[in-house]
Amino acid sequence: MLIEMQPLLTLIDFQSAFLTVPGLEPSVGQVVDRAASLLRGCRELRIPVAHIRTATPSGLEVPRLKAGSGSKPQLGSAGYQPPEELVESTGEHVIHKTGYSGLRDTDFDNLLQQSEVDTLIVTGVYLHACVRQTVLDARTAGFQVWVAQDAVASDDPVHAAMTRHHLEGRGVRFAPVARLLKWLDDGASPSGPPEQLAIVDEAVSRATQFARKWRVSERGTRIDLVRTLVDRLNMSKARLARLITDELGKPICFAGSEVQRTGEMLSVIIGHFETQRDTTESRDTTLRRRPLGTIAVITPFNNAVYLALGKIIPAIIHGNTVVWKPAPEALAVSRFVMDLLNESKWPQGLVSILEGDASVGQTLMDDPRIDSITVTGSSSAGFSAQVAAARRRVPLQAELGGNNAAIIWHDATIATAAEQIAAGAFEMAGQRCTANRRAIVHQDILGPFLDRLTEATRALFTGSPTHPDTRVGPLVNSDRQQCVARMVSRAKPYASACFVPHDEFPTDDRNDNDRWYPPTILCCDDPTLEIVQEE
């Protein structure tokens, strides 16, 4: 259901003093970029904007409450200034505060009382402090509040994840910038309980009910189901590989390899469990393995089949049921996997699938009937999973984002190192957790290594992902392409050199031009740069 709303975009503490604090999650570049996108969209829609900033009158000092953080920025100082992308335009309100909450400033309170605003759209830093208090005060005053979940940052991400749970329990809603802009463009906002709550409830209910029966099933019965699945998977190799390529842009050679390795992995798992017993006794001890219950399985797009079944199969052989939340980018692939399970006569309720974005995964992890969580994803997903698991004291297994460095010492075989690093960094467009993000090179061989790395990168076959020789294909979607492009653009002023070995986009019959980004090599001596630190 949709209802009319009168929104006000509220930007909180986008100032140099707060954006330069180490450990900001997401990074400064990303959170400013997303907030700027939201600001541009609201300006185009003629939605009023308020910039709330912390400011101390000139000549005074107001210490921050956080130990060792110095004083709050003085009005007009360098620490007070916002990024260029978030400077106010004519007619936009600028509200100053000295404490946590903007609503405790008389000017902002008057603005809200005198206007017809009933909804605050919020972006800012820090989620666990000033954003939190402003939002709580707004809810107390009777306003609806939406927080741009991908445009708020914190230097304490665990605290931020706890804050989100706290705020959602008090009627605050979170959504990504793209969805907020769509709703604002429609001039309406969803009302009533989120539909995702009902979807998650149905899936978890189905899984927990079947868990009572499945936990007492014979291990041989469970293994037989997996063996049937392996047969179905092997018969569907070509179709599934092509679907992975069509949906995700993963080169067909790697898609085929993923499907092949998945079947091999499942066969190894079967062999392992065929020799394992639920109860093992020795003279002094008895070891008993018992199911946990219902497992939340959250998986990414880059190895949509291998990682998903690598989590699901051991769980069900151990006597658990599964609620699976795959990445939305891999929707068609995930549905195909579910079709294989159904064709293999897997009983209803053994594995349930949940479609949706990160908020659906969060709702699943927070469900009190979930007995364990396994997630492969970003660091932010891991922080959320950590809080969800700790709150209920349930087991958590997490494989999170990486930032892998290759070290090339002075006595390295330069040609071999360059070829391996180029392949590791750029094959599959770098969309794998094991990809090289950085190369740390001994200064004595830096020049020769860069020459060979450029050559090796140029030699990688770049083209349509459906071509069997392609090693570098498109990124998963245009949003990711734009994210990479903006990050490189922000880094270039600080890089001593930039090399783009493929100076033209490859010929592609799939119309993937908005997903292509050329393999790019940047020389960055500062290890604190965003492009060095981020995955």
Side-chain angles (χ1 to χ4, degrees), residues 38-211:
L38 181 59
L39 178 59
R40 287 193 301 271
C42 287
R43 284 170 174 168
E44 291 173 2
L45 295 169
R46 300 184 182 277
I47 291 170
V49 178
H51 301 259
I52 299 179
R53 297 177 189 147
T54 299
T56 302
S58 180
L60 297 179
E61 285 193 4
V62 178
R64 301 185 200 172
L65 295 181
K66 185 175 180 180
S69 295
S71 61
K72 295 180 179 179
Q74 292 193 344
L75 184 64
S77 67
Y80 167 86
Q81 300 301 328
E84 182 179 351
E85 305 95 315
L86 301 178
V87 172
E88 67 276 10
S89 291
T90 302
E92 294 178 352
H93 305 277
V94 178
I95 309 296
H96 294 132
K97 63 182 177 68
T98 56
Y100 284 115
S101 173
L103 265 77
R104 299 184 186 184
D105 181 275
T106 303
D107 290 341
F108 193 41
D109 184 62
N110 290 339
L111 168 65
L112 294 176
Q113 297 302 325
Q114 295 170 9
S115 68
E116 297 181 354
V117 167
D118 58 16
T119 302
L120 265 60
I121 309 296
V122 177
T123 172
V125 292
Y126 304 114
L127 176 59
H128 68 280
C130 294
V131 173
R132 168 185 168 138
Q133 194 58 55
T134 301
V135 165
L136 287 174
D137 284 352
R139 290 293 294 144
T140 301
F143 293 94
Q144 295 296 317
V145 179
W146 285 88
V147 176
Q149 67 186 44
D150 52 351
V152 285
S154 173
D155 63 342
D156 189 346
V158 173
H159 194 175
M162 296 170 63
T163 295
R164 173 170 176 173
H165 183 271
H166 178 80
L167 294 177
E168 286 180 322
R170 284 146 186 83
V172 178
R173 307 284 290 279
F174 284 72
V177 167
R179 190 188 303 169
L180 286 172
L181 286 175
K182 183 180 185 305
W183 287 336
L184 292 169
D185 192 25
D186 292 339
S189 171
S191 68
E195 183 182 353
Q196 69 192 43
L197 291 177
I199 296 172
V200 173
D201 178 71
E202 180 182 353
V204 176
S205 295
R206 186 165 57 247
T208 53
Q209 290 171 11
F210 187 72

Side-chain angles (χ1 to χ4, degrees), residues 417-427 436 452-453 456-457 460 472:
E419 289 173 3
Q420 292 181 350
I421 290 170
F426 298 122
E427 287 183 345
N436 294 128
R452 296 305 293 265
L453 180 62
T457 302
L460 293 172
V472 182

Side-chain angles (χ1 to χ4, degrees), residues 491-506:
K492 280 183 177 180
Y494 304 98
S496 59
C498 177
F499 303 92
V500 185
H502 294 273
D503 55 2
E504 294 182 0
F505 287 122

Side-chain angles (χ1 to χ4, degrees), residues 59 103 219 278:
L103 265 77
R219 177 173 292 220
D278 289 333

